[in-house]
Structures are given as C-alpha cells and as structure tokens.
Amino acid sequence: MELSIVVLVLSFVVLLFLNVPIAISIGISTLLTMLFTIDFTPAVMTLAQRMAGGINSFALLAIPFFILSGILMGQGGIAHRLIEFAKVFFGMLPGGLAFVNVISCTLFGAISGSAVAATSAVGGFMVPAMTKEGYDRGFSGAVTVTASTTGLLIPPSNVLIVYSLASGGVSIAALFIAGYIPGLLLMAGLMAVCGIWAKMKGYPVGDRIPFREAVRKTIDAIPSLLLIIIVIGGIVAGFFTATEASVIAVLYALALSVFIYREVKVNQLPQILVKSVETTAIVMLLIGTSTAMSWVMSYENIPQTISDALIALSDNPYIILLTINLILLIVGIFMDMTPAVLIFTPIFLPVVTELGMSPLHFGIMIVLNLCIGLCTPPVGSVLFVGCGIAKTTISKMFKPLLPLYAAMFVVLLLVTYVPAFSEALPRLFGLYE
C-alpha cells in the first residue's frame, strides 16, 4: 500500500509540474496506481467504469444548467445593474467603491454560481471605475479576486453539488442554505479590510446618489435579485429539486438577458450554448477522473491510513481540525476546487465525523478553505483572471492580497470552530440532517 501511495502522489505531482491538464494528470496517475495491483486490461476497464459511474448522477445534471445560466447572466447586463444597486447604499462611504466591488462580486457570484464569471463581469466594470477614482490597480484586482469567491458559498453553487456527491448524499438544499451565513461573514471580513486599507491610503469618498436615481437603480436591479429568491425559495419550500431549479434558472436568465434587459441577442445564443458545453465537458471530465482516483484510494485503504495517522497525531479535536485546514490550504494552492473536493472529502470526512463534526458543517468548511486556493498562485484560476481584468501583475497584487487572505483565514477558523454558522439556517428551515 505504501508503494501505491508513493506512485499516486509522485506521478500526479510530476504530471502537474510538466503542465499536463489536471484532469489528464488525475486519470494517468490513477491508472498507474491501478497497474500495481490489477492487470492492464482490467485496470483500463475499471478506470472507464469508475469515470462513467462518477458522472452518472441525477444531481450533477444541475451543473450544466447552472453553468449556462451563469454565462447568460455574465453577458446579460446583470453585473452592471448589481454594481449600480450596491452604489446606492455604499458608494458614499470612505473606500465606498471597494465596498461596492465586494458586494457586487458577492451578489453576482451568488446569482451565477461562478467565481471566474464574477471576476470577469464585475471586475470589467469596477476596476476601471476604481482606477479612475484613484484606487491602485493592484488593490482593485485583489479585492475583485477575493470577493468573487464568496459566491461559491452562497447558492446556487456547483461546488456544493459536487460535495454532495463526494460525501455520499448530503442534502443539496441543506448545503445551499448552510452557505449563506459563512458567505456573508466572508463578505463582511473582506469589507472590513477594504475599509481599513482605504482609510490608510486616503482613497476618495463617492458622491451620494439622489433619491430618485437611487430608486430607479434599485428597481432596475430587482429582476436580477429575484433569481436568488426564486431558485433558493423554491428548493427550500419543496417546489422543486436543485436540478429542476437549475433549469428554472436558465429560463429566467434567458428571459432576463434576451427579453427584459435585451443585452443578449438571439443570434448570440448558439455561441453561448457552445461555451457552456465546453465548460461542462471540462467539469465532467474532472469529476469523472477524480471519482476514479477516490475509488483507487479507497481500494488501497489510503483514507483509513490517513485517518488513523491524524487521530494518532493528537487527541485534541481543535488541533486535528487545524491540521486538516492547513493541509487543504496547501492542496488548494496546487489543485483546482472540483477535484480537490472529490478527492479529499472521502479522506477527511471520516476523521471529522469521528470528532463529532457533521458532514454538512464539513462541506462548508472545505469549500470555504478551497476558496482561498482560487486566489493563490501558482494554480489559482480566479487570481490569473483577476490579473488580466485589472491589467496588472501578481507581484503588484500580492501586498494588498495579504490582509485579504488574513480575513479569509479568520472567517475559515470561525466557520470551522463554530458549527452554528453552518448549521443554524438548515435547522431553522428543517433541513438539518
């Protein structure tokens, strides 16, 4: 078994350093590990079967629809309206544009379910606006990058659906509701840093928006904000499942973008569909290969070995949870969120449940933890998109990123050690398992 672990880890790391796409790296390292205990033909057949089984899930049907709705929203003028809505309440405060950036990224990320989409859509408007008002591009980009991850906690979130699959069936509705308080805590933590940074740098205060204009901008944003109420309200009330909600999200986003805001033309729809199919294919390949790797690790008894080692490390649950968080933070630096959730959930879930942590609570913890990885080099996809949008470099973003990382880590510790932040709302709505 020790040799299998070495082969799995070493081959995966080497392939990553050779810049092999992560899904292919996972698949090849999984096959190489299988070959130590299984002949070639059965190993290939087993790999194919496990990959096919990994994506053969009704719950995963929600992912392509949420991806499509997110792309429609990104091109449908929703980001601009959410930014104008946030300016009504926060634009006149010291560092107000930074607050507007955080809130807009949170709202758009929650509606679209994509951190990359939030970075692109909101950053495309906010970074030039902040630069024009005298904000540093590095700070503007750093705020956009970190704030965009909050939407992965506030539903609808594809990664929470993936966690439901990896954990063996934690309720998607419960996970969706559980993400609200941690997501809002993360937003508040980032806003606190923005306020302190803006005060230190003497960034300007925006003008107060006249009442009539404020009302108009609020009314203009209401159709966009209603999507959250329709999708999440319908799931909680039991009118439809998360998968059915994803289809409703597509229909609503289509009506909003094409017929109400009229920023997406009918002749653009084929291109949008192709883009959503390409993104879905990448995500499903990641899910398939990651599921196969999880099976190999289970076959080689790797999760149990790691679980025993962690429990033997200390009898203090706080130390063990801190250790798990530190491991996941390191993992997040080098691995994308979807495969990390699929691979490490089966490893750490038995450990935390033995400590008394619920699978629901752990799901929010692991997603919040890996959100930090999206903002860190060398693999952080959101970080590189943010650099491109802000037209700056990682080195110029690094200094303002440090206090934002610190805020995210503090929120992570709060969510880890205070179960009520994750479990209070599911209990309130009768969804707690």
Side-chain angles (χ1 to χ4, degrees):
M1 184 189 68
E2 290 78 4
L3 185 59
S4 298
I5 296 175
V6 171
V7 171
L8 184 68
V9 174
L10 187 61
S11 61
F12 180 62
V13 171
V14 168
L15 288 166
L16 282 183
F17 274 107
L18 292 175
N19 210 26
V20 177
I22 189 165
I24 307 300
S25 300
I26 292 170
I28 292 174
S29 58
T30 300
L31 181 60
L32 291 174
T33 307
M34 284 182 177
L35 292 175
F36 275 84
T37 51
I38 307 174
D39 291 336
F40 180 77
T41 301
V44 172
M45 291 178 64
T46 302
L47 177 64
Q49 288 171 350
R50 294 296 166 181
M51 287 178 63
I55 60 175
N56 184 23
S57 168
F58 178 74
L60 290 182
L61 279 174
I63 291 179
F65 289 109
F66 279 133
I67 288 172
L68 177 56
S69 67
I71 294 173
L72 283 167
M73 293 170 203
Q75 298 187 21
I78 291 172
H80 174 66
R81 287 166 175 84
L82 293 175
I83 289 169
E84 293 301 317
F85 172 70
K87 280 183 181 178
V88 170
F89 299 97
F90 296 93
M92 76 295 298
L93 299 175
L97 282 185
F99 291 164
V100 170
N101 196 342
V102 174
I103 294 167
S104 301
C105 284
T106 300
L107 290 173
F108 189 83
I111 291 170
S112 68
S114 169
V116 171
T119 303
S120 303
V122 176
F125 285 104
M126 285 306 306
V127 173
M130 292 175 73
T131 304
K132 186 178 178 181
E133 293 293 327
Y135 289 77
D136 177 70
R137 279 189 177 272
F139 173 70
S140 303
V143 171
T144 306
V145 165
T146 50
S148 296
T149 62
T150 56
L152 299 176
L153 288 163
I154 300 174
S157 169
N158 288 337
V159 73
L160 290 176
I161 296 172
V162 171
Y163 173 77
S164 173
L165 173 73
S167 63
V170 176
S171 166
I172 295 175
L175 285 166
F176 277 8
I177 295 299
Y180 271 104
I181 293 177
L184 293 174
L185 273 176
L186 185 56
M187 182 187 78
L190 295 175
M191 288 178 68
V193 171
C194 288
I196 295 168
W197 190 274
K199 200 75 174 175
M200 289 170 52
K201 298 292 182 180
Y203 287 141
V205 178
D207 297 327
R208 186 175 294 276
I209 296 174
F211 180 75
R212 284 178 177 271
E213 189 178 350
V215 171
R216 180 184 60 79
K217 289 180 176 181
T218 301
I219 292 172
D220 202 27
I222 286 175
S224 302
L225 298 171
L226 276 176
L227 179 64
I228 300 176
I229 298 172
I230 292 170
V231 171
I232 305 307
I235 293 173
V236 172
F239 293 137
F240 38 74
T241 65
T243 304
E244 292 162 348
S246 67
V247 179
I248 292 169
V250 170
L251 294 174
Y252 189 87
L254 185 66
L256 204 60
S257 303
V258 177
F259 302 110
I260 298 177
Y261 293 153
R262 298 182 180 179
E263 301 217 11
V264 172
K265 307 300 180 187
V266 174
N267 59 9
Q268 293 178 286
L269 293 178
Q271 182 184 356
I272 290 172
L273 288 171
V274 168
K275 187 176 179 181
S276 68
V277 168
E278 289 174 349
T279 306
T280 300
I282 294 168
V283 171
M284 290 303 173
L285 181 59
L286 276 169
I287 291 173
T289 53
S290 300
T291 303
M293 180 179 275
S294 296
W295 179 85
V296 166
M297 290 193 298
S298 178
Y299 181 79
E300 296 292 344
N301 209 30
I302 294 173
Q304 186 60 45
T305 303
I306 295 174
S307 174
D308 292 342
L310 281 170
I311 291 171
L313 178 69
S314 171
D315 56 1
N316 188 328
Y318 293 99
I319 298 297
I320 296 174
L321 288 175
L322 181 62
T323 304
I324 291 172
N325 269 317
L326 292 174
I327 293 170
L328 288 172
L329 286 170
I330 295 169
V331 167
I333 292 173
F334 298 102
M335 188 180 288
D336 195 28
M337 182 176 273
T338 297
V341 168
L342 286 164
I343 292 167
F344 288 93
T345 295
I347 293 175
F348 292 129
L349 187 56
V351 180
V352 298
T353 50
E354 189 165 331
L355 296 175
M357 178 183 277
S358 70
L360 178 69
H361 181 190
F362 179 67
I364 302 302
M365 186 192 93
I366 191 173
V367 170
L368 174 53
N369 189 304
L370 294 172
C371 282
I372 301 174
L374 293 176
C375 312
T376 54
V379 178
S381 55
V382 177
L383 176 63
F384 290 104
V385 171
C387 284
I389 293 294
K391 296 178 182 177
T392 186
T393 61
I394 293 175
S395 59
K396 291 180 179 178
M397 287 174 60
F398 190 69
K399 188 176 178 180
L401 272 171
L402 288 176
L404 294 166
Y405 287 151
M408 296 178 84
F409 186 70
V410 169
V411 174
L412 172 63
L413 292 180
L414 286 172
V415 169
T416 298
Y417 295 123
V418 184
F421 286 137
S422 302
E423 297 175 355
L425 286 181
R427 286 182 188 276
L428 180 66
F429 287 100
L431 298 170
Y432 183 75
E433 297 181 352

